[in-house]
Structures are given as C-alpha cells and as structure tokens.
Amino acid sequence: MEMKQPMMMNQEDGGKQEKEQESQENGRLVADSVAEKGQKSCSGPGQVSNGYPSTSPQSPREGAGAGTDRGSTPGTFRTLVVQQTSLDPPRETWSKKMDFLLSVIGYAVDLGNVWRFPYICYQNGGGAFLLPYLLMAVFGGVPLFYMELALGQFHRSGCISIWKHICPIFKGIGFAICIIALYIAFYYNTIMAWALYYLLSSFRPTLPWTTCNNRWNTPNCTRYLSTDLNVSWTENSISPAEEFYIRQVLQVHLSPGLHQLGWVSWQLALCLLFIFTVVYFSIWKGVKTSGKVVWVTATFPYLVLVILLIRGATLPGAWRGVIFYLKPDWNKLLTTSVWLDAAAQIFFSLGPGFGVLLAFASYNPFHNNCYKDALITSSVNCLTSFLSGFVIFTVLGYMAEMRHQGVETVAKDAGPSLLFIIYAEAIANMPAATFFAIIFFLMIIMLGLDSTFAGLEGVITAMLDEFPHLLAKRREWFVLGLVCVCYLGALSTLTYGGAFVVKLFEEYATGPAVITVVFLEVIAVSWFYGTTRFCNDVQLMLGFSPGIFWRVCWIAICPCFLLFIIGSFLAFPPEVKLFDYKYPFWTTVLGYCIGVSSFICVPSYMVYYLVTTKGTFKQRLLKSITPVASGSSGPQRDTIVITNAV
C-alpha cells in the first residue's frame, strides 16, 4: 500500500483543533508548532514497495535530530516528523542474531547429513563426488538459500501471505508447502522415536543389541565382538544389532507389507508422545523460546561429532574406512546419476522450498545482512556433511577390520539402517560402550528436533500471517492443535509395518513435490516479480545489490538445476525396497497420489483466483501477476516520514 505524503495546511484556530485530532488518529506528530502564516508543505521521501520509506530514519529520535531548527520566527523552515503506526501488534523478532543463525544451522544440518551424505559420497566416486557436490552448491543450492532469506526478510511474511507481494496467482505454493511440511512431520519424528527407544535401552547394564539370548533373536544371530576370536562371520549371519532394530524396535517381521500394517507399538507411541511434547513446549511461544532451545540442540551434535571422530580415528582399521570414503573414482563423473545425486543432496540438505527460511528470516531486523548469513550457514552445512563422513567411515573401517570383510560389504545399507544397525553395533564394540551409545542417540534426537522446530514454525508463521485476526492471540492453542494433528498422522508409522510407511513418505510425499514447488517459486520471483525489482529490494535492505552471478543463477541456472532434478525423477523413478520387502506397483501409484495431493494446491488456487477476481479476463490476468505493496495488512511496522515546512 503506497503511503500518502503528509500535508500540513495553515488553518484558523478551529481548523487547528480538527487537524490535531486527525493527526492523533493517524500518527504521532513530533515537532514544534508550525508557523501561523505562510505555511507551505513539500513532499516527503518516496516510499518503497514494502512500506519502508527510502530515506527516512528508523526511529523518531533519529528523525527529530535529523532536521535542525533554523529559527522560531514565522516563515522559517522547520522539520516535521510524522510516525504512522499500525494498529496491529509489532512483529516478533529474534532476541539475538545468534538465535537466528543457530536456528537456520539446526534446520539445515539434520539426520540426512549424518547418514545420507556419507553413503551418497562413497557410492558416487568418493572424493570425486565432492566436485559435482560443490558445483551444485555454488550454482544451485546457495542461490536458492540466499533468495529465500532475502524474500522473507524484506516482506516479513510467511510462505502463504508473502505471495500477494510477489505474484498473487502463485499463492497456492504456500498452501502446498504447508501440506508437505505436515507429511514430513508424519514420518520424520518417528525416526526420533526410534532413537529415543535406543537411548532408553542404553541405560541397561548390558546393551540389548550386543547379545543373542533375547526373546526376539533367531538361530542366525551371531554375536561377533572384538573379543570373540573363535566366531566366524558367514553370509547367513545376522548381527544382534540388526535383529534388535528389525525385530524388537520396528517389529516389521509381524507385518507382511503395506497392505497389512498391524497394531501400533505402544512403546514407540509413548516415545513419539514425549518427542512431540518437547517440540510443543519449545515452539509454543514463538522464536523467543525456540531461539533459546537451539543453543543446546544445535550445538550439542557438534560436540558429539568431534568426540566420535576422535574415538573413531583411534580404532584399528579406521584408515581403511577413510580411504574408501575419499578415494576418487573419476570415471563416475561421466555418469548422469552422480550429478543427479549431487543436485538432490545439496537441495535437500540446505532445504529451500519448505517455508522455513522465509519464516525464520521474517523475524529478522530489516537491515540484517542476510547475504552474509546465507554464506555462513550454507558453508557450515556442507562442512558438517563432510565431517560426518569421517565420523561414519572411521567406524565402518573398524567394522570391516573386525569382520575381515571389505568396507563396501559393511557399508551396504543406507538410511536409518546405517545408524541403528552398523553404527550401533560398532559402538557396542567400543570401550565405554554405554557412554558412547547415550551421547550418540542424544545427538540423533537433537538433530531431528532442530528440523522439526523449523518445519512446524514454517507452518505456524504462514498461518498466523495469513489469518492474523483469528490466530494471532491464540498461538498456543493453534500450535497445540497442529502438534496433535501431526501425532495422529504419525500413528501409521508406529505400527508393525510403520517402517514401510516411513519409506513411502520419504520417497514420494516430499521429494518430487517440493522440488516442483521450488521451481515455480524461482520462476515467479525471477520472471514475474522480476529480478531487477528483487535486487532493488535487496539493495534497500543491505545497501548493495546482488551481482551478475546471482542474477544469472536466479534467472537461468537455478530453474535448469531444478528441472534437471525433476526430469531425472520422472525418467528414472526410484525402485523402492526396504529390507526384504519390495514395494508393489500399487504402492507407487499411492505414493504419487500423496505427492500430487500437495502440489494440486498450486493450479487449484490459480483457477480459484481467476474465477473470483472481478473484471474482464485480461484485467483478472493482469491483477493476478501484479504484486500488492505491503501495508498495514502485511508486515506490522512503524513508518517514519519526514517533511519540511516553512
């Protein structure tokens, strides 16, 4: 909404009183009384699209000091500072800059950095994989990361309401993002429930995944510790750690597949209830509370990673794992799959498109240097992934040395199995195994909590900004309802066949949908809103405009980067398999239906907008791509306007 320039007119005494009443209603007048005769107004500084004046100071005190009193006699110039205030409460902000940085780092550094990156790296050429990974980060991941931080900070809105200030017809993107975030909450927190089960089991005198005399063990269970020199490992051998994970924690042997999931595991249901309770009391009050919690949840994993790296490096055979991890296979770079994996890994690692970066940045001060923040947090994320590879592969080398097998045989499993089977078994073979088990599974829980805080905060911010009069004063109740919905939606993942559901959601519900959504987001910002306008917004915030590199990335390289991933998903659909269960064809159809259920919001809202907007079709189409400038209905802020008067 364009702000009208204040006009001060000389009037009779009765007119003065009327004007004073009007000024009290619309703002606050900070100045001495104007001269009685010959007053002449002049226009104030120009306004910008988000409601901030382009040259005005940021506080009334600064504004009052900006103009000097050139005399008190009639006819002299005086400075009038008018502060137009919104009736809405001011937007919440981070208590400290570090709260924001730790929240973003905690969101970007998640469980995937620990289990997915090391597996993807050695599978795609070891050290050679770092080349496509860095190229995809520089030309694809980081520009998208920077773009979302800048958008959220400038428009100070969540992922739904922000679109009326960019390109109104694409508002369905915000609703799609919220649905995707719910799907993630349905399965992602279940992995933390598994880790919590392991954590509680670690307090027993003997770690339960180290012995074969438990009720869940089978005759193939082979207890193979470093002290068991007379035991040989065969192809039919199953480690006690694998049987504990599959038959005791997941209990997948009691479910034949997705067509018959079985009962809900009450132990996992209680673990997940505890996880969501922690989540609720961490985010119910907003970023003021979650910003304090991340000081623990975002920093503790780094302490544990350093401890585990030092311990792993001292294990026999650790060097074998490191060599296997970093030995480059340059021929792999000639295959398309390596570049696809690099693009997908950096995209899902940095996490643009989930509404989280928009939400977090919207609570920043207007002139915060989000460019520097983007470079710092994305660099920390990539370095953490690289560090996690050493933590994992020093232990895998130790396992290979102990079993007299190759590292590639030990490292055959990806995903949660790498943590809950291989790494858990390695921990059991270390001295002080109980201590390392406790800190390791605490780290897994905290890595997951950070991402859950962020994902739900993206939904909460979006809904509160879209429906402020309904939800602004009821945040605690809305968050409680959201957490309850997430818990009920996760019950299917707590059944005996819940691991199959987790894999289905992971493969189909989030990946293709969120990549398509981000592709449309880049197109809307770069081609409809306009890169020039966006760069002008950034210059207004930071004092400098993004260079030609960023402009080219946003206009051409990032869309091509995302199209490459989308095309590869469609051309080479993943063959989903978990343990010995191969997903039947109908589950593929079900998975794509779940993915489409979120993306369908985008075309549905486009049709709804064009149908409900008044005017001719041309007028409706023009209005649908014309951004609405922020005003009192958007970001809540005070606006300072300066005008000179004679």
Side-chain angles (χ1 to χ4, degrees), residues 359-372:
F360 280 170
S362 70
Y363 299 112
N364 274 334
F366 182 68
H367 295 291
N368 174 66
N369 192 342
C370 58
Y371 171 71
K372 183 179 179 181

Side-chain angles (χ1 to χ4, degrees), residues 63 225 519 561:
L225 299 177
F519 171 74
F561 166 80

Side-chain angles (χ1 to χ4, degrees), residues 526-544:
S526 301
W527 296 4
F528 287 86
Y529 186 72
T531 305
T532 300
R533 179 185 296 175
F534 175 59
C535 290
N536 289 338
D537 294 344
V538 175
Q539 183 174 17
L540 184 69
M541 287 192 301
L542 308 184
F544 59 89

Side-chain angles (χ1 to χ4, degrees), residues 627-643:
V628 179
S630 304
S632 59
S633 61
Q636 294 89 0
R637 62 176 68 90
D638 292 342
T639 305
I640 311 298
V641 183
I642 300 178
T643 180

Side-chain angles (χ1 to χ4, degrees), residues 367-558:
H367 295 291
N368 174 66
N369 192 342
C370 58
Y371 171 71
K372 183 179 179 181
D373 295 343
L375 296 182
I376 291 175
T377 52
S378 56
S379 299
V380 169
N381 175 72
C382 295
L383 290 175
T384 304
S385 298
F386 189 60
L387 173 67
S388 300
F390 287 99
V391 174
I392 296 296
F393 274 90
T394 52
V395 171
L396 292 180
Y398 166 64
M399 292 293 295
E401 181 85 4
M402 189 177 62
R403 291 185 181 179
H404 304 288
Q405 293 180 321
V407 180
E408 66 279 359
T409 304
V410 178
K412 62 181 179 180
D413 292 323
S417 298
L418 185 63
L419 302 180
F420 294 114
I421 297 178
I422 302 299
Y423 210 94
E425 183 180 354
I427 287 175
N429 283 274
M430 297 179 185
T434 300
F435 168 75
F436 286 108
I438 290 173
I439 65 170
F440 176 74
F441 291 112
L442 265 179
M443 178 190 73
I444 297 300
I445 293 172
M446 291 189 179
L447 284 173
L449 283 175
D450 288 333
S451 298
T452 299
F453 296 161
L456 293 183
E457 186 60 52
V459 177
I460 295 166
T461 300
M463 300 304 291
L464 264 61
D465 287 344
E466 182 66 13
F467 308 104
H469 301 294
L470 179 63
L471 301 175
K473 296 182 179 180
R474 302 178 179 89
R475 177 187 171 99
E476 292 86 354
W477 290 104
F478 174 71
V479 175
L480 178 61
L482 179 64
V483 169
C484 290
V485 169
C486 293
Y487 182 78
L488 294 176
L491 287 179
S492 62
T493 65
L494 304 176
T495 58
Y496 299 148
F500 303 137
V501 181
V502 170
K503 187 70 173 178
L504 183 73
F505 272 106
E506 185 181 5
E507 292 292 338
Y508 294 107
T510 57
V514 76
I515 294 174
T516 307
V517 163
V518 177
F519 171 74
L520 294 178
E521 178 183 317
V522 173
I523 295 298
V525 173
S526 301
W527 296 4
F528 287 86
Y529 186 72
T531 305
T532 300
R533 179 185 296 175
F534 175 59
C535 290
N536 289 338
D537 294 344
V538 175
Q539 183 174 17
L540 184 69
M541 287 192 301
L542 308 184
F544 59 89
S545 180
I548 187 65
F549 167 77
W550 302 105
R551 295 171 184 254
V552 172
C553 286
W554 290 326
I555 293 176
I557 298 179
C558 286

Side-chain angles (χ1 to χ4, degrees), residues 1-30:
M1 179 177 71
E2 294 184 1
M3 303 296 295
K4 296 181 179 179
Q5 302 298 332
M7 301 288 293
M8 302 301 296
M9 304 293 295
N10 182 39
Q11 300 177 357
E12 299 296 329
D13 293 340
K16 283 185 180 180
Q17 296 176 359
E18 181 180 353
K19 187 60 182 178
E20 288 174 357
Q21 294 175 356
E22 182 178 350
S23 65
Q24 290 176 359
E25 293 176 358
N26 296 313
R28 184 172 58 199
L29 183 62
V30 185

Side-chain angles (χ1 to χ4, degrees), residues 580-607:
D580 296 328
Y581 177 70
K582 186 175 181 181
Y583 285 62
F585 176 76
W586 68 269
T587 61
T588 303
V589 177
L590 175 62
Y592 279 116
C593 289
I594 296 174
V596 172
S597 66
S598 58
F599 177 73
I600 198 67
C601 294
V602 180
S604 298
Y605 186 83
M606 290 180 176
V607 174

